[in-house]
């Protein structure tokens, strides 16, 4: 980063809340979104960091999110809680349902939180990690818009459909992963296009369903799923669990908000929580310790655990704050102070 | 298949039961195993078909399975049922717990069946499909012995760790997948070795952790996970859910039975069941119909649904029976009639 602006986490928080509230998000939504983007920025996940505030404002302007929606909690079944986001951002809906999910998982051993009708832009790892911090094992998935072709296919059908998992560790940060089921994020292709670079073989198809190394053709075509047929069916599972099972849309039944009023960006999210203490009773601590043998087995052979870099960045950010490109900072200040923002 | 022997499904069943009971499996275990291997053979999944009877007898001879174990059902939590296989084969344990799982899923919306201390050799799709036939959505996973290196690593740590999923369809066979989280099954490498063929790049490492195209070196080294880091962490999730979470072993804490008495092949299996009717109430039928749009979206662009070939084979086998290599048939007859078999 040639020109960077350093912000303390407090400054990043205030900037985020000011932008969001200034454009009409309720205090509750602004806080939930700020928690997510500041956490991502602090973990140096730039693609889900402060940069996403621009998306939150643009989607609002295009009518793709209700910035003041009050999520509604529905006690769907003993092991299932639904939160209807009512067209608002998914993050407040998740926060509204989280303690219900925790309580159900502790009571029944396993429980599901279904978030419905939500505008969703965030990473899933802050959510599953927040459940692991409460001692639960958590799995989350959500569809996105149709950008990915099924393996063996020619045209976009599934979302980039991320899946995230978190496991509580007795001494330290949870074991957490969060990955898109496409080979790469769409943003990676966009970065190649901006840089005038070709994309590697195996990433994407053009609009005619032919393999392409041209990022512009790829953006007009389809990404490919990771891991061939295996990743493709995993992505289909995510569509089904976070779509029809919870009474919500499939990826290809959504579109980004586009200002025409025709965008239907809202969709669902599926979260599963498992309580080790319900599964194991007094053996829970010993079994969580046993799991450490797996993590040690990875590290001892020189391989990395997922989130290792992210957790290291978190420690740095808590001490030193975050750095964002000066250009992004200027854009965010303009968003805070410029036309459309309300004092 | 140059020389094949045709068997009706009834003949395949009788041959399987006779071999298993003749070597000491209880009638209940013999029936559960026969159901699995005949179903796999009928679906032309040769690697999990009648061929596996040889493995069931060899493991028994090596002390790796208790052929008369009576599974014990433990009502662990409202949403969790455990079945302790007590050193017996996983299949009878699953069948013993299945209706408990179904009942819990229907009562709570979501439930888990944990199978513990089981000898496990079978495919997972017959299990998840049997749950989908009861109207549930099902996900299953199990570790195997340490054959797979983590992405970025050098030596075997995880099992080939299959994951299977099944979704009920209103008109027709469930949408089902079942795949190993290694790039290929170990059996594929073994087949290359027997045929004197090299294996493709990206399948395996040798004992020093270097990429290898030599199947013998690969069998002494480690397979690689599918899909790089993403498949690798998914495999770790399977180790955790079907291991420590349910009070059972990690893959590297097991070994195949080897006759020395030191083999500890038993491990766990994790099954999750979700009840669409609990999630959706009166909307369930309409939402299951909505999911068909995803399957149609795959088929219409010329891609295949998982299990399509298997389901077509099932129809053929029900009409015409199954064909197995003459050499395998002779080996099975020898196993039924020869030394070690009891009349």
């Amino acid at each position: 980063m040639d020109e960077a602006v350093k912000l303390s986490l407090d400054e990043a928080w205030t900037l985020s809340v000011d932008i969001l509230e200034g454009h009409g998000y309720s205090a509750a939504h602004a806080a939930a979104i700020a928690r997510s983007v500041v956490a991502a920025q602090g973990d140096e996940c730039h693609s889900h960091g402060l940069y996403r505030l621009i998306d939150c404002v643009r989607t609002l302007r295009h009518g793709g999110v209700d910035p003041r929606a009050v999520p509604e909690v529905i006690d769907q079944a003993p092991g299932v809680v639904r939160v209807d986001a009512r067209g608002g951002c998914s993050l407040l809906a998740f926060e509204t349902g989280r303690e219900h999910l925790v309580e159900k998982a502790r009571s029944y051993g396993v429980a599901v939180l279904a978030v419905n009708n939500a505008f969703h832009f965030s990473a899933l790892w802050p959510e599953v990690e927040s459940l692991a911090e409460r001692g639960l094992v958590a799995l989350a998935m959500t569809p996105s818009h149709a950008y990915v072709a099924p393996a063996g296919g020619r045209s976009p059908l599934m979302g980039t459909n991320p899946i995230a998992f978190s496991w509580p560790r007795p001494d330290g940060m949870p074991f957490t992963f969060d990955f898109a089921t496409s080979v790469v994020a769409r943003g990676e292709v966009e970065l190649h296009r901006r840089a005038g670079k070709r994309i590697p073989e195996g990433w994407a198809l053009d609009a005619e369903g032919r393999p392409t190394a041209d990022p512009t053709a790829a953006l007009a075509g389809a990404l490919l799923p990771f891991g061939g047929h295996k990743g493709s069916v995993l992505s289909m599972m995510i569509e089904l669990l976070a779509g029809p099972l919870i009474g919500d849309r499939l990826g290809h039944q959504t579109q980004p908000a586009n200002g025409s009023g025709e965008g239907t960006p809202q969709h669902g999210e599926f979260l599963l929580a498992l309580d080790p203490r319900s599964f194991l009773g007094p053996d829970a601590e010993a079994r969580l310790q046993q799991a450490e043998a797996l993590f040690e087995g990875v590290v001892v052979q020189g391989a990395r655990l997922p989130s290792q870099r992210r957790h290291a960045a978190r420690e740095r950010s808590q001490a030193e704050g975050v750095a964002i490109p000066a250009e992004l900072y200027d854009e965010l200040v303009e968003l805070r102070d410029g036309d459309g923002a309300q004092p």
Side-chain angles (χ1 to χ4, degrees), chain A:
Chain A
M1 224 179 291
D2 281 329
E3 287 193 73
V5 174
K6 285 275 241 183
L7 299 172
S8 71
L9 292 176
D10 280 351
E11 288 166 338
W13 167 269
T14 305
L15 177 60
S16 302
V17 168
D18 287 350
I19 289 170
L20 293 161
E21 292 192 2
H23 284 270
Y25 280 95
S26 68
H29 275 295
I33 295 171
R35 268 189 282 280
S36 179
V37 299
V38 173
Q41 194 67 55
D43 280 15
E44 292 176 10
C45 295
H46 301 286
S47 64
H48 288 96
L50 300 191
Y51 158 79
R52 288 291 175 137
L53 295 167
I54 299 166
D55 190 29
C56 289
V57 171
R58 186 176 45 219
T59 301
L60 192 161
R61 285 175 173 162
H62 285 173
V65 60
D66 177 348
R68 313 193 74 80
V70 177
E72 181 192 4
V73 176
I74 301 143
D75 192 0
Q76 181 66 30
V80 183
V81 56
R82 288 172 71 170
V83 181
D84 187 343
R86 298 163 92 182
C89 175
S90 66
L91 291 159
L92 182 59
F94 168 73
E95 290 187 3
T96 304
R98 179 169 49 205
E99 294 312 315
H100 297 269
L101 174 66
V102 170
E103 198 183 306
K104 281 178 181 290
R106 289 190 183 144
S107 299
Y108 302 107
V110 55
V112 170
L113 168 60
V115 172
N116 287 122
N117 306 315
F119 161 61
H120 203 299
F121 72 87
S122 60
L124 297 176
W125 61 257
E127 301 187 347
V128 290
E129 273 192 3
S130 79
L131 293 165
E133 281 157 12
R134 286 160 174 80
L136 302 178
V137 177
L139 182 66
M141 40 193 104
T142 188
S144 70
H145 314 308
Y147 295 134
V148 180
R154 323 168 32 88
S155 54
L157 176 68
M158 288 109 64
T160 51
N161 297 5
I163 179 168
F165 174 78
S166 194
W167 173 274
R169 298 183 64 181
D171 308 299
M173 304 294 241
F175 167 85
T176 307
F177 66 74
D178 180 355
F179 63 79
T181 49
S182 47
V183 175
V184 288
R186 237 176 105 81
E188 277 296 317
V189 180
E190 178 62 28
L191 285 177
H192 277 73
R193 192 190 60 78
R194 285 193 196 195
K197 293 196 325 203
R198 295 176 76 73
I199 57 172
E201 205 184 331
W203 279 21
L205 306 175
D206 66 17
E208 276 74 47
R210 295 170 305 212
T212 185
D214 171 1
T216 305
L219 290 167
L223 294 175
L224 286 167
F226 92 101
H229 278 280
K230 296 180 181 183
S232 187
V233 294
L234 203 65
S235 175
M236 289 179 74
M237 178 187 83
I238 294 166
E239 295 268 334
L240 294 168
L241 294 182
L245 178 69
I246 61 167
D248 220 311
R249 295 190 175 103
L250 294 161
H252 76 276
Q253 295 166 339
T254 68
Q255 304 96 41
N258 58 12
S260 73
E262 288 157 23
T264 49
Q266 289 88 5
H267 56 78
E269 179 180 344
F270 174 94
L271 287 119
L272 179 79
L274 302 145
D275 176 30
R277 277 147 202 91
S278 300
F279 276 79
L280 295 160
D283 290 343
E285 303 311 319
R287 289 297 180 172
L288 290 174
Q289 203 57 56
Q290 176 205 353
E292 294 295 303
L294 179 64
F295 309 133
E296 282 158 25
V298 168
V299 173
V300 79
Q301 59 181 284
R304 272 195 314 115
L305 291 176
S307 303
Q308 235 172 253
R309 268 197 297 230
R310 205 163 50 68
H311 292 159
R314 191 179 307 178
E315 284 193 33
R316 265 198 313 278
S317 299
Q318 274 156 0
E320 302 164 24
V322 296
I324 61 171
E327 198 182 347
L328 171 60
Y329 180 74
D330 292 343
E331 202 171 345
L332 293 173
V333 168
E334 166 67 20
L335 210 53
R336 184 189 63 195
D337 302 334
D339 286 351
Q342 295 140 25

